[in-house]
Amino acid sequence: MQNTRNHHTMPSENKPRYRLTKLGEQMARLPIDPKISRMLLAAKKHDCVQEMLVIVSALSVQDPRERTAGSARSRRQGARAFYRQAV
């Protein structure tokens, strides 16, 4: 019997283990959120880029109602300074 353990082909160290698909390469070229870039590339495929630009422009704007922890802290500090001056 032959030892089959030594017959595995080792992947070449020069080849990358993972490669981007063509779609992934196109998405990587766009300096925007991957979800947005995917939507735009799909719109290009379906010939509706103008319509999708309206949608993704609305999706890419941060909701003003969402507040980060840092912005809450700075608002509190500003309010303290304001009330100290007013009193």
Side-chain angles (χ1 to χ4, degrees):
M1 288 188 97
Q2 290 182 338
N3 185 357
T4 58
R5 290 183 197 183
N6 295 331
H7 291 192
H8 293 286
T9 56
M10 298 299 289
S12 174
E13 291 185 25
N14 295 336
K15 288 186 178 180
R17 185 171 176 182
Y18 300 104
R19 295 193 50 144
L20 286 176
T21 62
K22 288 183 182 182
L23 180 62
E25 289 175 357
Q26 291 175 338
M27 290 173 63
R29 284 190 215 116
L30 298 173
I32 55 178
D33 184 81
K35 291 181 275 188
I36 302 291
S37 65
R38 179 66 176 98
M39 292 168 71
L40 287 174
L41 291 172
K44 181 180 176 186
K45 180 180 176 183
H46 295 287
D47 195 31
C48 57
V49 175
Q50 290 182 344
E51 293 85 351
M52 188 55 71
L53 281 172
V54 174
I55 295 168
V56 298
S57 64
L59 291 174
S60 64
V61 175
Q62 183 179 3
D63 187 352
R65 296 171 292 183
E66 291 179 8
R67 297 180 179 163
T68 62
S71 67
R73 187 177 328 121
S74 65
R75 278 194 317 276
R76 283 193 302 267
Q77 289 172 349
R80 279 189 213 127
F82 176 77
Y83 287 118
R84 280 186 208 142
Q85 293 174 358
V87 176

